[in-house]
């Protein structure tokens, strides 16, 4: 896993721009703490920061190959889980390798197949190739959008980077956010390609972006497609298990210490148990880590989202699977610390609004990084197998909007509760969401003969797999790479996604519960307690000291009326929330305080130019 960046300027020789390239590259230092490298040739400049995972001495980047027609150079972030098979195929075609790294395999794959190499890779990846033979830059992103990649067109070329901060480090780029960017910021709909920053775009998942002297072109090489599902229940369950066994086996490959993230839910428990069984066959014991909060398990109070604390279930899995387990216990002071909030915002380049759940994820990953370099996560199983409450919520099923907005809005409210009235009017978030929803569902193909109900559930699955999951994958990537930890997501393997997506809802929920297929496919590995457990989201602290710290920090902010945050936030609204005795008595109130503080830190760190009218 790494951080990549670069600059193509067809009207210039970038050999004299080493200082700018270095500045862009160094913004990726957290993503790649083990090594750095830059490469320039004529109009192209590439930068790379490396987190060494496979072939520690041999995978240095940028990596280039000379040809009679010109050099081909690569900067690559991610993992190709089938690189050994690709390497054998390329060797049979006459390619010779000097390292054992997957990076070299991807580079030679491009030499052999051009940008069609993307269709052959099984993995998570974002990479850019400068092809001097054709004077073009080729950027490719994995199918599900696990690894990020952004670009910003210029008058004579393009800037690109794993994160917006790499592009923002270029002197010609001004940090601007207009109304449309604010609309994206204050909604959770993850519009494909939208980067929030003016003039910047995401390379969309499953897409190739090519930049040459004629301009920028895109090609979609993968998308979620509707197909008939012909397997019966037993065959479907067996196929899911076969796929999971192969996926976990591939994703355990690394030359550095690895572990699993264990929450005690079905997804992470199944993945951990699979990893433990496979490593046990090789005489190894898997390490597992979980997050908890001081006093939370003993004093847990059930709410609408979480019926049980995680830790008892975590320990049941660890005992049965035989993992070397460690609980990471966090306190309210750490979660509310301003320096942690600043680290989160810097990692994400935006005030994304996940509050203590972002802070705890960052602190969890920081603790894990002391012990391991690679972690396997259960992320995305809810989107693949249908695990969220909204899949079973009649209001969400019937709503003419993104289904998660119904359930999350009920629990947390929305940003209109803290924003200035004039800004709320200018943003028209309701209209923005409605337009986005119509666009999102327009391309979802209905299977011939599919009932109205099954088609609605297909729509819900599609929306979660092409919108909601991307927000969560981005969060996990940024929080993990901020501390140099590579997190792999087995449930995002495109083979599994394609297969389960096309399984009818009647099969996905054949026993009337969430994630029926996953539960039965891994039943032999699970403690009875986990097998029977109801879905519980990522944990959030219930410590009243956290709420008190938020209140104190917001009151300090309110005492500074000239702060730029009040260009966005209604000062009197947040003052009223902060002055209540128990401002976090409701999730919506606490979220309003967290959102206000996030926005203030973001404005302090990035000084963006805002267009709010």
């Amino acid at each position: 896993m790494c951080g990549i960046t670069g600059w193509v300027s067809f009207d210039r020789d970038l050999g004299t721009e080493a200082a700018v390239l270095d500045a862009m590259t160094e913004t990726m230092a957290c993503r790649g703490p083990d090594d750095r490298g830059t490469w320039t040739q004529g109009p192209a400049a590439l930068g790379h920061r490396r987190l060494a995972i496979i072939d520690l001495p041999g995978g240095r980047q940028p990596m280039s190959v000379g040809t009679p027609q010109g050099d081909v150079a690569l900067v690559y972030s991610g993992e190709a889980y089938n690189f050994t098979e690709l390497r054998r195929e390329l060797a049979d075609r006459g390619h010779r390798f000097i390292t054992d790294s997957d990076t070299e395999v991807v580079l030679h794959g491009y030499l052999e197949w051009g940008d069609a190499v993307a269709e052959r890779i099984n993995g998570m990846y974002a990479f850019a190739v400068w092809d001097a033979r054709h004077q073009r830059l080729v950027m490719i992103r994995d199918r599900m959008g696990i690894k990020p990649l952004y670009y910003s067109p210029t008058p004579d070329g393009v800037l690109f980077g794993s994160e917006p901060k790499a592009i923002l480090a270029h002197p010609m780029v001004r940090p601007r956010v207009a109304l449309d960017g604010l609309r994206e910021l204050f909604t959770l709909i993850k519009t494909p390609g939208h980067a929030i920053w003016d003039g910047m775009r995401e390379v969309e998942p499953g897409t190739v972006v090519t930049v040459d002297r004629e301009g920028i072109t895109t090609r979609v090489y993968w998308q979620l497609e509707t197909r008939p599902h012909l397997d019966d229940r037993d065959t479907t369950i067996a196929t899911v298990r076969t796929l999971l066994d192969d996926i976990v086996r591939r994703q355990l490959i690394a030359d550095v210490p690895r572990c699993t993230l264990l929450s005690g839910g079905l997804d992470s428990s199944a993945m951990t148990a699979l990893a433990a069984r496979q490593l046990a066959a090789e005489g190894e014991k898997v390490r597992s880590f979980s997050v908890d909060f001081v006093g939370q398990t003993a004093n847990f109070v059930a709410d609408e989202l979480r019926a049980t604390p995680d830790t008892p279930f975590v320990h049941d899995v660890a005992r049965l699977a035989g993992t070397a387990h460690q609980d990471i216990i966090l306190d309210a002071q750490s979660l509310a610390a301003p320096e942690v909030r600043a680290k989160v915002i810097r990692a994400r380049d935006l005030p994304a609004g996940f509050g203590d759940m972002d802070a705890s994820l960052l602190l969890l990953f920081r603790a894990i990084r002391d012990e391991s370099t690679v972690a396997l996560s259960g992320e995305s199983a809810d989107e693949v197998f249908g695990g969220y409450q909204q899949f079973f919520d009649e209001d969400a099923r019937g709503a003419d909007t993104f289904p998660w907005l119904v359930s999350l809005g009920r629990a947390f409210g929305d940003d209109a509760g803290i924003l200035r009235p004039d800004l709320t009017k200018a943003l028209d978030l309701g209209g923005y969401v409605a337009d986005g929803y119509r666009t999102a569902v327009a391309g979802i193909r209905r299977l011939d003969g599919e009932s109205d109900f099954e088609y609605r559930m297909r729509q819900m699955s599609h929306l979660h797999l092409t919108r909601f999951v991307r927000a969560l994958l981005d969060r996990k990537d940024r929080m993990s790479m901020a501390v140099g930890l590579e997190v792999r997501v087995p449930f995002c393997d495109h083979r599994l996604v394609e297969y389960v997506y096309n399984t009818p809802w009647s099969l996905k929920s054949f026993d009337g519960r969430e994630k029926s297929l996953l539960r039965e496919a891994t039943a032999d590995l699970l403690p009875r307690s986990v097998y029977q457990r109801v879905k519980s989201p990522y944990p959030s602290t219930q410590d009243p000291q956290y709420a008190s710290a938020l209140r104190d920090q917001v009151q300090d902010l309110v005492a500074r009326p000239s702060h730029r945050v009040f260009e966005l936030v209604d000062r009197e609204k947040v003052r009223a929330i902060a002055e209540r005795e128990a401002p976090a008595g409701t999730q919506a109130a606490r979220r309003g305080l967290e959102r206000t503080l996030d926005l203030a830190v973001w404005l302090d760190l990035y000084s963006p130019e805002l267009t709010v009218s």
Side-chain angles (χ1 to χ4, degrees), residues 18 29 56 108 121 131 213 376 405 412 415 481 496 503 523 552:
L56 306 190
H108 280 265
I121 302 174
D131 190 340
R213 292 182 182 276
L376 271 64
L405 297 183
F412 299 103
D415 288 318
M481 295 309 294
L496 181 69
T503 303
D552 292 344

Side-chain angles (χ1 to χ4, degrees), residues 348-426:
R348 300 198 69 170
D349 290 314
L350 293 167
F354 285 81
D356 73 296
M357 292 185 288
D358 270 351
S360 66
L361 196 62
L362 177 74
L363 295 172
L364 170 66
F365 288 159
R366 181 184 289 173
I368 291 174
R369 186 61 176 87
D370 292 335
E371 309 290 339
S372 294
T373 311
V374 170
L376 271 64
S377 166
E379 190 81 83
S380 307
D382 287 308
E383 290 81 2
V384 174
F385 290 97
Y388 291 117
Q389 291 180 5
Q390 54 261 27
F391 282 103
F392 298 86
D393 182 336
E394 291 302 327
D395 290 339
R397 285 174 170 176
D400 195 26
T401 190
F402 296 98
W404 55 89
L405 297 183
V406 176
S407 53
L408 293 178
R410 186 185 299 138
F412 299 103
D414 58 38
D415 288 318
I418 62 166
L419 297 180
R420 291 168 54 108
D422 56 335
L423 178 60
T424 300
K425 182 178 180 180

